[in-house]
Amino acid sequence: LFVVSVLVLIWRPATLSALTLTVVNNCPFTIWPAIQPNAGHPALERGGFALPTLTHRSFPAPDAHWSGRIWARTRCEYRQGRFSCLTGDCGGRLECDGAGGSGPATLAQVSLHHGGEGEDYSSYGVSLVDGFNLPATVTPHEGKGTCPVVGCRADLLKTCPEALQVRGGGEVVGCKSGCAAFGTDELCCRNRFNSPGTCRESSYSLFFKHSCPATFTYAHDSPSLMHQCSGPRELKLIFCH
């Protein structure tokens, strides 16, 4: 399952218009966005759907507290009555309906909260901790304060080191993390390496960082990559640029 990657924290008063979440596919092929709610929260949009090239899908954010993850599945097909994807697959389901996905995938985590006294804040970022499958950015609209577009616009499939490559149909379709490729405690920040003092960047995380510096690339990457934005009316997740 995916590790947390893009975090969006939102407090929204009733006096503001409802927050809209929009997923945009600028890739030259169909993708299958997936949404996994955290425990105790409902699945949005049934947890997954097909999104043809150069189209988007918008839907209202829940009125109550909600948190979860968003990513895109690629190279999906039905074969012998079973749906599956080469990256981001959620157990062979079109509608993930609460199931998590398999890496590598560029991942976002969203947490939505109501706040008191007219406050509405968003904190967001993009993570490649679980690898990369598509360029992706998060853009807040009509927010105030520090509201940058963050994410990874580069196509890392073209430069992915051979040891990290996931191939399908003769092409590189995903770029694994060092943890997924080699499974060591040090690269996975497990056991004695599971703390900010012992979990360090590696040559593999640096590959992602050099191309996409405004992303999380290992488990205890810098918290300064999070940004505060007040009062966005829309959060837009764009795949491919």
Side-chain angles (χ1 to χ4, degrees):
L1 298 183
F2 289 123
V3 178
V4 170
S5 58
V6 176
L7 178 62
V8 185
L9 301 178
I10 299 173
W11 290 261
R12 188 175 68 257
T15 55
L16 291 180
S17 63
L19 175 70
T20 297
L21 301 176
T22 298
V23 182
V24 179
N25 179 16
N26 281 340
C27 306
F29 44 78
T30 297
I31 62 174
W32 287 260
I35 306 171
Q36 181 194 19
N38 289 342
H41 300 299
L44 304 182
E45 303 298 287
R46 299 181 180 271
F49 49 88
L51 192 62
T53 179
L54 302 181
T55 64
H56 71 275
R57 183 159 173 166
S58 295
F59 46 95
D63 291 332
H65 172 65
W66 186 90
S67 61
R69 302 166 180 179
I70 304 174
W71 68 96
R73 296 165 289 173
T74 65
R75 305 297 183 93
C76 301
E77 64 177 2
Y78 283 97
R79 177 176 294 181
Q80 297 180 342
R82 185 179 184 274
F83 179 80
S84 64
C85 305
L86 289 184
T87 69
D89 190 83
C90 62
R93 306 177 186 183
L94 171 61
E95 298 173 341
C96 299
D97 195 27
S102 59
T106 311
L107 178 66
Q109 178 159 336
V110 179
S111 182
L112 312 175
H113 298 268
H114 284 287
E117 300 180 359
E119 293 185 342
D120 178 4
Y121 297 103
S122 301
S123 178
Y124 57 96
V126 172
S127 171
L128 306 179
V129 171
D130 296 298
F132 173 97
N133 67 341
L134 288 176
T137 59
V138 175
T139 300
H141 288 284
E142 299 187 36
K144 299 178 181 179
T146 305
C147 303
V149 177
V150 298
C152 183
R153 294 175 180 266
D155 184 358
L156 302 186
L157 300 182
K158 296 178 179 179
T159 56
C160 182
E162 185 173 359
L164 305 182
Q165 292 177 4
V166 175
R167 304 185 70 89
E171 298 179 335
V172 178
V173 298
C175 194
K176 294 185 288 188
S177 66
C179 171
F182 302 103
T184 66
D185 283 355
E186 185 172 10
L187 289 174
C188 295
C189 293
R190 290 189 304 238
N191 299 323
R192 69 184 182 91
F193 296 100
N194 187 21
S195 72
T198 58
C199 175
R200 302 290 188 179
E201 61 188 14
S202 68
S203 61
Y204 304 107
S205 69
L206 285 172
F207 160 72
F208 295 109
K209 182 68 74 175
H210 287 158
S211 296
C212 300
T215 62
F216 293 93
T217 59
Y218 62 99
H220 289 282
D221 206 346
S222 172
S224 66
L225 292 168
M226 303 305 293
H227 300 277
Q228 293 289 340
C229 180
S230 175
R233 303 297 180 89
E234 180 184 37
L235 289 175
K236 184 176 290 184
L237 177 57
I238 302 174
F239 292 102
C240 300
H241 289 270

